[in-house]
Amino acid sequence: MMQPTRINTVGALQGNPEPDPSTPALLRLSDTLLAHYRRGVRPVRDWRTTTTVAIDVMVYAILSVDEKNQVLTTYIWYRQHWTDEFLQWDPAHFDNITQISLPAESIWVPDILINEFVDVGKSPDVPYVYVRHHGEVQNLKPIQVVTACSLDIYNFPFDVQNCSLTFTSWLHNIHDINLSLWRQPELVKFDRSVFMNQGEWELLYVLSHFQEFSVKSSDSYAEMKFYVVIRRRPLFYTINLLLPSIFLMVMDIVGFYLPPNSGERVSFKITLLLGYSVFLIIVSDTLPATAVGTPLIGIYFVVCMALLVISLTETIFIVRLVHKQDLQPHVPSWVKHLLLERATALLCIWDRKKFSQSRTQSSDISRHVENNDSTAKLNHYGSEDPREREVAGSTRPTPASATPAEGSLLIHSILHEITTIRQFLEKRDEFRDVAREWLQVGYVLDVLLFRAYLVAVLAYTITLGTLWSVWQYA
């Protein structure tokens, strides 16, 4: 391989070794380097020599993440350097100048592009590059990168995104331009020295990977991939999305402690359902929207809404069960056996069973006392002694025209009225017993459905909490 020759001085090119002391050293060096420079030719003296471009990326800020359009906007500090064999000099002939800044448009610059570019960002223009005396050219510039990225929002707001920045030469194959890392991969991975760490996104690390690829068995090309791994900070979304939903679900569970035989529970559940609907309308603009999938938190809101609807339906069913009992028949025996015996033992509702037994015994005792009392009164009127009746007749006023037949009709009329009243009381007690039985069935069924609902809510909450915790600390 041919050794590169150094351009020493302008005087050396003209046959005069002595430089002109009146010309500034920087001007003489610039004129010397650019006098016969060809910026359209790759700067190697032997065409078989490969130009190696070392690149480096430092993430400065995450500007925006557009989930709908699958676009990531970042601001990076991009650095690259390569060796230009036509830009070399001896510092001793130029006042010991070891580096100089030259216009980037005046020298050859490699055509390194980012494959994921989808839009031209608002990057500041840096018109100069640094050139060292041994031919090393350093090109340092900030770039606003607008790139396409496959964003997975299923874990929102605990999502971690991995977006790649692929640097490659668009035209030159690997025999002309090769790529390498400026720094060690470990230094690039955990470098957060310039990252602005106060936004919504947190930079986890930057991975680097070099590979060769070819298109349809053509020449091979070199590419350097930088994987920018970022994580969303979920505190804002936890406070504004998850906590209000959790509070409403807790209030729905607390609403089960309202008496089932009152209509206040139904109105309370309807108010909660309307409040949750308004809450979903408010937060709909906060949730990311994509045509690919739905985030898990959206499914969580839908399931919570479904649970509220199920809770309201259960409440309406229980209230309907414990009201209008007079129009219902007796509780079937299999329902009594299943709910008032098996279910109470399964749910440990011992107070309901005692309440049922005590109320049944008290009603039987009261009915027995009433029967005995009415029978005693009838026997008293029917078996009264004639002598006592005469004595009583002497003391009580009797109608002047009263006869024994009329007295017998009066007694039968009184007995008929008493029998009617007794039948009415027995029918009322029967209705009360039916109402009491259905009320007990409603209480037991309410406790059973409440505990099933509570188990479903807890299982759903624990599952989502575990998933989000794993995603957050993975």
Side-chain angles (χ1 to χ4, degrees):
M1 183 178 296
M2 298 178 61
Q3 295 295 328
T5 59
R6 294 175 178 266
I7 301 177
N8 294 327
T9 62
V10 177
L13 294 175
Q14 297 176 350
N16 184 12
E18 294 297 331
D20 185 3
S22 61
T23 305
L26 283 176
L27 183 59
R28 287 189 291 110
L29 178 58
S30 176
D31 293 340
T32 302
L33 295 176
L34 301 178
H36 303 283
Y37 190 86
R38 295 284 188 90
R39 61 183 302 268
V41 180
R42 190 165 61 91
V44 290
R45 300 186 183 277
D46 184 359
W47 67 272
R48 289 178 291 267
T49 302
T50 301
T51 301
T52 301
V53 180
I55 62 178
D56 186 25
V57 169
M58 301 174 68
V59 180
Y60 181 75
I62 306 296
L63 300 182
S64 67
V65 178
D66 188 354
E67 295 89 356
K68 183 177 182 179
N69 298 317
Q70 299 285 291
V71 172
L72 172 69
T73 304
T74 56
Y75 196 82
I76 64 174
W77 289 3
Y78 175 69
R79 305 189 300 173
Q80 63 181 3
H81 74 84
W82 64 95
T83 299
D84 191 324
E85 298 181 3
F86 298 149
L87 298 178
Q88 298 175 345
W89 70 91
D90 186 359
H93 296 91
F94 295 94
D95 199 14
N96 294 324
I97 297 176
T98 58
Q99 63 181 9
I100 186 176
S101 61
L102 297 177
E105 59 182 12
S106 300
I107 66 173
W108 180 87
V109 178
D111 57 336
I112 305 298
L113 301 177
I114 301 177
N115 289 342
E116 294 84 358
F117 256 133
V118 294
D119 192 8
V120 178
K122 299 178 181 178
S123 305
D125 185 22
V126 181
Y128 296 99
V129 296
Y130 253 130
V131 182
R132 298 185 180 275
H133 67 280
H134 53 269
E136 177 185 319
V137 182
Q138 294 185 1
N139 187 11
L140 290 75
K141 55 185 178 180
I143 306 177
Q144 181 178 333
V145 183
V146 183
T147 56
C149 179
S150 179
L151 300 174
D152 184 11
I153 62 170
Y154 182 75
N155 302 337
F156 175 88
F158 304 96
D159 51 331
V160 176
Q161 306 297 339
N162 187 354
C163 298
S164 62
L165 302 177
T166 305
F167 293 85
T168 184
S169 175
W170 195 254
L171 178 65
H172 299 85
N173 56 35
I174 195 172
H175 302 291
D176 293 335
I177 294 180
N178 195 10
L179 300 179
S180 65
L181 271 179
W182 189 322
R183 297 180 295 169
Q184 295 296 324
E186 292 77 11
L187 299 178
V188 176
K189 181 177 181 180
F190 299 105
D191 187 8
R192 303 186 187 92
S193 57
V194 299
F195 182 71
M196 294 181 61
N197 201 27
Q198 303 299 324
E200 179 183 354
W201 293 90
E202 174 187 4
L203 178 64
L204 297 181
Y205 44 82
V206 179
L207 300 176
S208 56
H209 175 67
F210 173 80
Q211 66 178 11
E212 298 182 18
F213 75 97
S214 60
V215 180
K216 295 182 180 180
S217 302
S218 61
D219 294 335
S220 298
Y221 295 86
E223 69 176 16
M224 184 69 68
K225 280 183 173 291
F226 292 91
Y227 297 95
V228 180
V229 182
I230 56 178
R231 178 173 59 192
R232 193 191 307 265
R233 290 188 172 93
L235 182 60
F236 171 80
Y237 300 98
T238 301
I239 295 175
N240 292 277
L241 297 183
L242 292 180
L243 288 183
S245 177
I246 293 173
F247 291 156
L248 290 175
M249 294 302 297
V250 170
M251 291 305 299
D252 180 63
I253 294 174
V254 173
F256 278 94
Y257 287 95
L258 291 173
N261 57 347
S262 66
E264 296 298 329
R265 183 192 284 192
V266 176
S267 60
F268 180 76
K269 299 280 187 178
I270 293 176
T271 303
L272 280 180
L273 187 60
L274 293 177
Y276 203 86
S277 302
V278 175
F279 168 74
L280 290 184
I281 294 174
I282 294 174
V283 304
S284 60
D285 295 336
T286 308
L287 297 178
T290 61
V292 179
T294 303
L296 182 60
I297 191 172
I299 302 175
Y300 163 76
F301 288 146
V302 173
V303 174
C304 287
M305 176 70 77
L307 289 175
L308 291 176
V309 172
I310 293 173
S311 173
L312 178 60
T313 305
E314 184 267 343
T315 301
I316 294 174
F317 173 71
I318 295 297
V319 172
R320 174 63 182 84
L321 192 64
V322 299
H323 281 77
K324 302 293 183 182
Q325 301 93 345
D326 294 345
L327 303 178
Q328 297 179 3
H330 284 279
V331 178
S333 58
W334 64 271
V335 176
K336 290 182 181 179
H337 177 72
L338 186 63
L339 290 179
L340 300 182
E341 295 179 9
R342 295 294 182 87
T344 51
L346 180 63
L347 301 174
C348 301
I349 314 177
W350 303 112
D351 53 345
R352 298 294 181 198
K353 188 174 181 180
K354 293 178 181 178
F355 174 77
S356 174
Q357 292 177 354
S358 62
R359 292 302 297 266
T360 305
Q361 292 174 0
S362 63
S363 62
D364 293 339
I365 292 172
S366 62
R367 189 181 299 112
H368 180 70
V369 171
E370 289 178 358
N371 292 338
N372 292 338
D373 187 33
S374 61
T375 304
K377 289 181 180 179
L378 291 176
N379 291 334
H380 173 72
Y381 284 107
S383 63
E384 188 175 357
D385 188 63
R387 290 175 294 180
E388 294 178 357
R389 192 178 304 165
E390 291 178 358
V391 175
S394 62
T395 57
R396 292 196 297 265
T398 58
S401 61
T403 61
E406 293 178 354
S408 177
L409 291 175
L410 181 60
I411 291 175
H412 283 291
S413 176
I414 293 173
L415 288 176
H416 179 71
E417 295 294 335
I418 292 175
T419 304
T420 304
I421 294 173
R422 178 182 176 181
Q423 291 177 354
F424 172 76
L425 294 176
E426 289 178 352
K427 195 66 176 178
R428 187 185 64 178
D429 291 340
E430 183 181 357
F431 287 157
R432 287 181 178 178
D433 291 340
V434 172
R436 190 180 302 113
E437 290 176 355
W438 283 110
L439 183 60
Q440 292 167 4
V441 170
Y443 272 116
V444 175
L445 193 59
D446 182 60
V447 174
L448 178 62
L449 295 178
F450 165 65
R451 295 190 181 181
Y453 179 79
L454 184 61
V455 169
V457 171
L458 289 178
Y460 180 62
T461 304
I462 291 174
T463 302
L464 288 183
T466 303
L467 289 176
W468 281 332
S469 298
V470 171
W471 294 334
Q472 175 68 15
Y473 299 103

